[in-house]
Amino acid sequence: MRNFWIFLLIVCCNSSFSQKIMKGQVIDFDSTVPIAFAKINYNNKTITSDWEGKFSIELKEDNKPIVFSYKGYFDKTYYQTVGAKFLLIKMITNNSLKNQEIYSENQVNLIIKKVIENKPLNQPEKALNTFEYKNYEHLLVSANPDSISGKIDTIYKKSLFGKRKITLDSINYKFKKLVEKQHIYQTEKVNLIQHNNDGTKETILASRMAGFKKPLYEYLGLNLVSYSLYENQLEILEIPIQNPISNYGRKMFVFKIIDTVKIQERTVYRIYFQPKKLNSNKLRGLLFVDAENFAIAKAFYRIYGIININATYTFNYRKDHKIWFPEKRKFVVVKGNNSEDLKILGGTIKFNSSLEELQKDASDRVYLKLESTPYDIKINQLVSFKTPSIKINVPENSMTKPDSYWKSIKKDTLDVRKIPTYTNLDSLSIAENIEQKIFLGKKIFNGYLPIGFVDLDLKSIVKYNNYEGFRLGIGGVTNNKLSEKYKISGFVGYGLKDDKLKYGITPSYLLNKETNTWLSASYSYDLYEIGQIQFATQAKRFKIYDPRPINISTFYSNKMASFFIETKYIPKTDIYFGLSRNEVQPLFNYNFYTKDNYYSNFNLATAQFAIEWKPFSGYMQTPSGRLEIEKRFPKFSLQLTKSFANVIGSDFDFTKIDFKITHEIPYLSGQNTSFILQSGFAFGAIPLTHLYSIAPNNLNRESLFKRITFAGKNSFETMFFNEFFSSKYVSFHVKHTFNKVKLAYKIKPLISVVTRMAWGTMDKPEQHIGLQYKTLDRGFFESGVEANQIFKGFGLTFFVRYGPNALPKFDDNFALKLSYVLDLGF
């Protein structure tokens, strides 16, 4: 009997040592996207991976293969290797089936169809008359210290003379010690979310940001992930993503029922979804659908690509209102399958990829996490708020809540690294004067250097053009240190070539702080490019170097007195209205002929109204005014200009109508497509100086290399200066920008492909005497490639001109330009 028990023990031991549990994950070879429900065949048994491609399999110590298969991929055979702890199976797409789509079964299709049909009954914003809740939101950048090696590495390098030199690398060690004590960065806010028939409003009740006395408004408006799961498009990292339960969801995604489970004693379907197209990086995930009312009870969303995104939504079933109401959002971003850095919160943060073997760089273990938790929920009670078109309101008192307030907010008490993060980063911010540096950086980014009560205008110090030669000057505007109610801006410039002084002064008074309404008067004498298209509401970009004036020789001088008002009174708009008197002197050989006279100079009395409408942008009301925090597209600009004859000495009567639509489509991959549709119509007696030249940017010289200059922004690079003029025109620009391409060490250009076209006509061309030009009746076409930021901000662009206005000499149709992009990192 004793021998029997010994024998049984030996058998059991041998059995336990002869088999093991192996875990792994099945992914796409090219995109590293997990392959859900791949078939795994071993020892005549078949299992499947889960919805994240993960599996666990019991293996024996034999040489039998493990075969992985999935529709649209080649089978993958794996043989056991000694010491393997985790299997990462990379399956290769079968090219003959690469574009093949997979389809949902009828049963799950009917369920998803009912989810879509019942959205008005289940989406809180539509199903409820009103609701209101407070929301605690915590965003942090951190790393798990257990994932970081604390070793101090020895590095061997060769000196200049070939002698081996030993150095110590303690970066990982120091980084591990840092994240053991605190997070890398964190912010918190408490907001009040209110909804009624007018829409949804967010009011910031409290906010704090590590290292700052007052949080940055840009952070308060940051929307990393959508609040609602029922909209046709989800917002992820402020980029629209097609929702699987949108009206088009069933055309783009395939669905699969996994099983049914219980949540709060209610039966829910667990349904997996993924894109129909194989090898896609698009959204995929897991939906928990209530079997009775077809509402979403829980959801897991995943995106795999240059960054990996995990979003989790949980809901609480409210029996009193028969609705699943949001309970918590959790959003995590880690590094994906690229080697580029991801910029968030104005700085560069490196993220870890969970699918690849951990690399040496400790910063690859960094992640960003956002958690938000609603509380104090009130449903179908009286809810009212002002200006529903303003998405976020930031009261002054929300920026300075004491520590006692934050202690009263229910938070995760297990996170012992929160308080040290505030203490240490606040001390670091004071020591390094970080807030002041960010303030200064923003001013410089907009072209100003604050000096006491004045912001010095960096654009006015040195300029150059063909008429003035070098122009030396000074300009600026008073800042809030002098007054918040009024400001005075001005400039003085002197042209060394034309030996003339230019000047201007503009006092302004703040009529309404809430709507950024300013009333201004101005008197100036300056030079302007002829045929220029400038919208009064268009933001003036700061350029360290503006190449256009160097290449232009046709200017006009203008002595102007004006009164104007600028406001954001109407939500989601910028409005300008001004009255001016202009004394115009063309500075080139030109006469304007009317039936009564020839004019070599003239006076104009004009009224101008301009409006830019941004219906899809999000706005924030702050103590310092109204800010556009979510720059969304399309945007629409309209400008009306009217000149009145015989009013305070004005010579001509004419009307101009200018219109522009700008649109951008960002992609989660980092690529971007932009469109500009612009047109102008001029009627009446209007001189050439105030017509349209449609932004040419090419020199009329013999060889390609003699025409090399700097590229412009949205200008026609192969169109010669003063080649075309129009009284009516329409132009269209389309541009697609790819991700940076690594060509060599530190050489990673940003590649764009561009196409531009324009058509135009000229009414009464015989009125314009002295300057030879052509018209755009047959259209103008050009296309090209931009390779920007090749090295130290410099790049190259190449464009070709074609179509009816192509030039007879072949190489005259080409334009090679330099480009420069200044990245200040703000």
Side-chain angles (χ1 to χ4, degrees):
M1 189 69 176
R2 180 168 173 260
N3 291 336
F4 170 77
W5 289 113
I6 293 175
F7 172 77
L8 185 61
L9 179 63
I10 292 173
V11 170
C12 291
C13 289
N14 285 338
S15 177
S16 64
F17 286 114
S18 64
Q19 57 189 20
K20 61 180 178 180
I21 302 297
M22 178 66 75
K23 294 183 178 181
Q25 188 175 27
V26 186
I27 65 172
D28 181 277
F29 182 86
D30 296 311
S31 66
T32 72
V33 171
I35 299 176
F37 309 110
K39 290 184 179 180
I40 305 167
N41 189 282
Y42 171 71
N43 201 21
N44 297 323
K45 292 183 180 180
T46 301
I47 62 171
T48 59
S49 61
D50 66 11
W51 72 280
E52 292 183 295
K54 296 178 181 178
F55 63 89
S56 178
I57 188 170
E58 184 178 301
L59 301 177
K60 296 182 179 180
E61 290 187 356
D62 54 25
N63 199 32
K64 291 184 178 179
I66 311 170
V67 180
F68 298 83
S69 60
Y70 191 78
K71 184 178 181 180
Y73 288 83
F74 290 108
D75 289 356
K76 176 81 172 184
T77 302
Y78 175 82
Y79 292 91
Q80 298 183 52
T81 56
V82 178
K85 296 180 180 179
F86 184 86
L87 300 184
L88 188 61
I89 306 300
K90 299 180 180 181
M91 299 187 69
I92 298 175
T93 308
N94 186 339
N95 288 328
S96 63
L97 303 173
K98 191 170 185 179
N99 296 320
Q100 180 176 336
E101 293 185 353
I102 49 180
Y103 300 93
S104 307
E105 298 174 355
N106 289 335
Q107 181 186 5
V108 71
N109 252 331
L110 290 174
I111 295 172
I112 297 301
K113 184 173 182 289
K114 290 183 178 180
V115 171
I116 297 170
E117 290 173 349
N118 284 273
K119 282 198 299 182
L121 303 176
N122 293 318
Q123 183 177 0
E125 290 82 0
K126 295 181 179 179
L128 302 174
N129 294 324
T130 66
F131 63 78
E132 175 182 295
Y133 63 86
K134 294 176 183 177
N135 183 67
Y136 169 72
E137 188 171 289
H138 179 223
L139 183 148
L140 63 85
V141 179
S142 192
N144 181 2
D146 294 335
S147 67
I148 302 168
S149 171
K151 292 194 305 181
I152 298 178
D153 296 323
T154 302
I155 300 175
Y156 299 94
K157 293 183 178 179
K158 286 187 177 181
S159 66
L160 182 63
F161 302 102
K163 186 177 179 180
R164 194 167 72 161
K165 182 172 63 174
I166 301 175
T167 61
L168 298 178
D169 182 5
S170 61
I171 293 177
N172 285 6
Y173 173 80
K174 292 178 180 179
F175 188 72
K176 180 180 178 73
K177 290 299 181 183
L178 172 68
V179 297
E180 283 178 342
K181 297 177 181 178
Q182 66 177 70
H183 298 303
I184 301 168
Y185 201 78
Q186 71 178 8
T187 62
E188 293 175 282
K189 73 176 179 180
V190 178
N191 48 6
L192 177 66
I193 307 297
Q194 297 173 291
H195 178 82
N196 61 21
N197 292 332
D198 293 327
T200 303
K201 180 91 169 191
E202 176 183 350
T203 301
I204 306 297
L205 302 178
S207 61
R208 63 175 176 175
M209 179 180 292
F212 294 86
K213 292 180 181 178
K214 289 187 176 182
L216 300 174
Y217 294 133
E218 290 83 354
Y219 155 68
L220 297 177
L222 194 64
N223 184 25
L224 295 180
V225 62
S226 294
Y227 278 95
S228 174
L229 285 186
Y230 290 95
E231 300 294 340
N232 281 335
Q233 288 188 326
L234 300 170
E235 294 283 338
I236 296 180
L237 290 179
E238 300 190 333
I239 294 173
I241 304 294
Q242 194 65 43
N243 193 338
I245 58 170
S246 70
N247 297 333
Y248 304 99
R250 290 193 300 155
K251 295 180 180 179
M252 300 178 64
F253 294 90
V254 61
F255 300 86
K256 176 182 178 66
I257 294 180
I258 300 174
D259 54 23
T260 59
V261 295
K262 290 283 186 179
I263 299 180
Q264 293 183 224
E265 300 180 355
R266 295 180 66 83
T267 302
V268 298
Y269 300 107
R270 269 202 325 151
I271 298 176
Y272 171 75
F273 69 88
Q274 70 179 50
K276 282 189 174 182
K277 294 286 186 182
L278 292 172
N279 200 28
S280 172
N281 288 334
K282 293 179 182 177
L283 186 69
R284 61 199 67 221
L286 202 61
L287 299 175
F288 293 72
V289 177
D290 190 304
E292 182 180 336
N293 62 13
F294 299 97
I296 304 299
K298 184 187 287 188
F300 297 97
Y301 287 170
R302 302 287 188 267
I303 294 178
Y304 303 93
I306 63 170
I307 53 174
N308 292 341
I309 296 172
N310 300 336
T312 303
Y313 290 80
T314 56
F315 298 82
N316 178 41
Y317 187 71
R318 302 291 298 258
K319 293 182 180 179
D320 50 346
H321 298 284
K322 297 182 179 180
I323 195 168
W324 290 90
F325 200 82
E327 183 177 54
K328 191 168 187 176
R329 286 183 309 155
K330 184 177 179 181
F331 180 76
V332 180
V333 182
V334 299
K335 183 181 174 185
N337 59 7
N338 75 314
S339 59
E340 298 293 328
D341 296 337
L342 174 66
K343 292 185 177 181
I344 291 183
L345 299 176
T348 300
I349 302 169
K350 294 181 181 179
F351 292 103
N352 167 52
S353 169
S354 59
L355 299 179
E356 300 293 338
E357 184 180 354
L358 294 178
Q359 301 175 20
K360 179 182 175 182
D361 189 355
S363 63
D364 280 346
R365 252 68 90 221
V366 172
Y367 61 85
L368 180 146
K369 182 170 72 172
L370 170 74
E371 290 188 2
S372 67
T373 307
Y375 66 99
D376 289 352
I377 300 169
K378 300 176 183 178
I379 295 178
N380 287 343
Q381 299 182 21
L382 180 62
V383 172
S384 62
F385 48 80
K386 298 179 180 179
T387 56
S389 57
I390 303 300
K391 184 177 180 179
I392 303 175
N393 184 41
V394 186
E396 181 75 44
N397 62 1
S398 68
M399 316 288 281
T400 55
K401 293 293 184 183
D403 290 340
S404 57
Y405 176 89
W406 293 102
K407 291 178 181 178
S408 67
I409 303 297
K410 184 179 179 181
K411 301 189 289 289
D412 179 10
T413 57
L414 297 178
D415 190 348
V416 296
R417 294 189 284 173
K418 276 187 179 179
I419 299 303
T421 303
Y422 281 114
T423 304
N424 296 335
L425 289 182
D426 286 348
S427 300
L428 176 64
S429 178
I430 294 172
E432 299 290 336
N433 204 14
I434 292 175
E435 278 191 274
Q436 180 60 27
K437 289 179 180 178
I438 291 179
F439 169 78
L440 179 63
K442 287 183 176 181
K443 287 281 188 177
I444 292 176
F445 186 75
N446 289 310
Y448 292 93
L449 177 65
I451 302 175
F453 299 107
V454 176
D455 292 346
L456 181 67
D457 186 354
L458 300 175
K459 302 184 292 293
S460 65
I461 298 174
V462 180
K463 295 182 179 181
Y464 182 88
N465 61 62
N466 280 336
Y467 186 81
E468 294 177 290
F470 278 103
R471 170 169 163 169
L472 306 179
I474 190 171
V477 59
T478 60
N479 54 42
N480 289 347
K481 288 184 179 181
L482 181 64
S483 174
E484 293 185 355
K485 294 293 292 183
Y486 64 85
K487 61 184 178 181
I488 301 174
S489 63
F491 71 90
V492 176
Y494 180 75
L496 299 181
K497 185 177 179 180
D498 70 336
D499 196 27
K500 285 189 177 181
L501 191 70
K502 289 82 182 176
Y503 51 84
I505 185 169
T506 305
S508 303
Y509 182 76
L510 181 62
L511 295 177
N512 188 299
K513 186 176 183 179
E514 182 178 334
T515 59
N516 298 74
T517 303
W518 289 88
L519 177 64
S520 303
S522 180
Y523 184 76
S524 66
Y525 172 72
D526 208 351
L527 302 187
Y528 298 88
E529 176 187 349
I530 69 168
Q532 193 174 26
I533 304 168
Q534 184 73 42
F535 286 83
T537 54
Q538 181 177 324
K540 296 176 177 59
R541 299 171 60 248
F542 170 52
K543 301 177 183 177
I544 282 184
Y545 173 67
D546 187 359
R548 282 185 62 82
I550 294 178
N551 305 314
I552 300 170
S553 56
T554 48
F555 293 89
Y556 67 90
S557 66
N558 185 11
K559 185 178 288 186
M560 178 174 61
S562 65
F563 294 91
F564 56 92
I565 188 170
E566 299 167 293
T567 183
K568 300 179 187 290
Y569 180 78
I570 300 176
K572 301 195 175 188
T573 64
D574 291 329
I575 297 175
Y576 171 94
F577 177 74
L579 301 172
S580 67
R581 186 183 187 279
N582 306 265
E583 297 178 12
V584 178
Q585 174 67 61
L587 301 175
F588 57 100
N589 180 26
Y590 174 73
N591 284 278
F592 182 58
Y593 169 71
T594 67
K595 62 181 180 180
D596 300 320
N597 205 349
Y598 285 88
Y599 294 88
S600 60
N601 57 72
F602 41 86
N603 298 327
L604 301 174
T606 63
Q608 187 174 75
F609 171 79
I611 182 170
E612 184 176 24
W613 181 39
K614 310 166 188 176
F616 304 102
S617 290
Y619 279 81
M620 174 189 290
Q621 188 67 55
T622 73
S624 60
R626 194 168 289 175
L627 302 177
E628 183 186 5
I629 54 163
E630 294 178 353
K631 292 177 169 47
R632 304 294 174 83
F633 295 89
K635 298 181 179 181
F636 305 88
S637 297
L638 174 67
Q639 183 165 280
L640 307 175
T641 305
K642 175 66 179 177
S643 177
F644 302 92
N646 303 317
V647 175
I648 55 174
S650 178
D651 293 310
F652 308 128
D653 186 279
F654 64 79
T655 302
K656 290 178 67 177
I657 303 173
D658 299 300
F659 181 69
K660 180 169 68 172
I661 301 174
T662 58
H663 187 50
E664 289 187 13
I665 304 174
Y667 305 99
L668 201 59
S669 63
Q671 300 184 40
N672 179 285
T673 304
S674 62
F675 307 89
I676 299 176
L677 177 64
Q678 186 167 310
S679 64
F681 302 87
F683 310 92
I686 179 167
L688 196 69
T689 52
H690 289 66
L691 288 175
Y692 306 109
S693 65
I694 322 181
N697 193 38
N698 200 18
L699 298 172
N700 195 352
R701 294 177 181 171
E702 291 183 1
S703 68
L704 174 66
F705 292 103
K706 288 183 178 180
R707 295 195 299 270
I708 292 178
T709 181
F710 277 87
K713 181 177 174 61
N714 301 322
S715 56
F716 285 84
E717 302 298 339
T718 60
M719 184 185 292
F720 298 129
F721 290 107
N722 302 326
E723 184 181 5
F724 297 95
F725 282 91
S726 305
S727 58
K728 301 179 181 68
Y729 83 96
V730 59
S731 65
F732 180 68
H733 307 243
V734 59
K735 177 178 181 178
H736 183 82
T737 302
F738 300 91
N739 293 320
K740 286 188 174 183
V741 179
K742 187 173 182 179
L743 301 180
Y745 177 66
K746 289 189 176 181
I747 299 180
K748 295 181 288 186
L750 195 64
I751 305 295
S752 301
V753 291
V754 186
T755 293
R756 301 186 178 108
M757 58 196 74
W759 295 265
T761 61
M762 174 64 83
D763 294 335
K764 301 179 181 179
E766 67 278 3
Q767 290 185 313
H768 310 288
I769 302 171
L771 188 68
Q772 299 298 315
Y773 63 88
K774 297 185 289 186
T775 61
L776 289 168
D777 299 81
R778 297 186 300 162
F780 186 93
F781 304 87
E782 72 173 23
S783 296
V785 177
E786 297 178 352
N788 295 311
Q789 303 179 56
I790 296 175
F791 186 72
K792 300 292 185 181
F794 287 94
L796 290 172
T797 70
F798 180 78
F799 282 83
V800 60
R801 170 175 175 166
Y802 55 92
N805 274 297
L807 298 171
K809 189 177 178 182
F810 181 72
D811 61 355
D812 284 349
N813 294 292
F814 298 99
L816 180 65
K817 304 289 179 70
L818 299 173
S819 67
Y820 182 74
V821 177
L822 174 66
D823 186 2
L824 294 176
F826 298 98

